[in-house]
Amino acid sequence: MIVQPRTKAVMRRVSVTAAMLSTSPDFGPLSARLRLGALTEWGVTDRQDDIRICASELATNAVLHSGPVGSEFRVRLSVEGLLVRLEVRDSGGGCPEARSPDTGQCSGRGLWLAQELADDFGVAEHAVGKTVWLAFKTESAPAWLRSAP
């Protein structure tokens, strides 16, 4: 089940978009459903490639490690001033850690890459599951911030 993404501005001048996604194997192209077009809508013109790569990596990790097939995870993207925050919350256990790249392995580089591309990284553990988050400093302020008095 996919819940339609929604975007809203709140009192602190924070814009947020979020979507619930499924770990089903027939889910289809993940990146098309992550709602990253909100960055352009908000007027954030730089760091989009970094954010897209990281969103895809975190979402892929949620699909692979979050629990049984068909479980859901949430992708949340927000902007406040010059800071973009990407969060992926899933119901999987454990606390992911970025590993050093190993040239002999076919996988295991994604979280390391995401951590290298982002300006800040963290994991918030919950009673059930966790939220992996990344923060990106941008040079282009959202349009509503540029027009603020």
Side-chain angles (χ1 to χ4, degrees), residues 41-53:
E41 292 171 18
W42 295 335
V44 177
T45 57
D46 60 315
R47 305 288 308 268
Q48 286 195 21
D49 288 340
D50 292 346
I51 296 166
R52 287 178 195 282
I53 289 167

Side-chain angles (χ1 to χ4, degrees), residues 103-138:
T103 57
Q105 298 293 319
C106 293
S107 64
R109 295 175 186 82
L111 194 53
W112 174 83
L113 176 63
Q115 190 174 359
E116 290 295 309
L117 289 172
D119 294 300
D120 202 2
F121 162 83
V123 179
E125 295 184 65
H126 308 290
V128 175
K130 65 198 167 293
T131 300
V132 180
W133 61 268
L134 299 166
F136 303 85
K137 295 176 187 171
T138 65

Side-chain angles (χ1 to χ4, degrees), residues 13 141-149:
R13 292 199 177 255
W144 47 259
L145 185 60
R146 289 191 307 266
S147 63

Side-chain angles (χ1 to χ4, degrees), residues 33-72:
R33 294 189 165 94
L34 292 181
R35 189 70 174 100
L36 297 177
L39 292 170
T40 302
E41 292 171 18
W42 295 335
V44 177
T45 57
D46 60 315
R47 305 288 308 268
Q48 286 195 21
D49 288 340
D50 292 346
I51 296 166
R52 287 178 195 282
I53 289 167
C54 292
S56 180
E57 176 56 34
L58 296 186
T60 299
N61 283 351
V63 168
L64 295 174
H65 305 293
S66 70
V69 171
S71 60
E72 294 180 337

Side-chain angles (χ1 to χ4, degrees), residues 76-96:
R76 183 177 187 267
L77 187 66
S78 61
V79 63
E80 182 174 9
L82 297 176
L83 189 68
V84 174
R85 184 174 169 110
L86 168 67
E87 302 173 356
V88 176
R89 182 174 181 164
D90 65 50
S91 59
C95 185

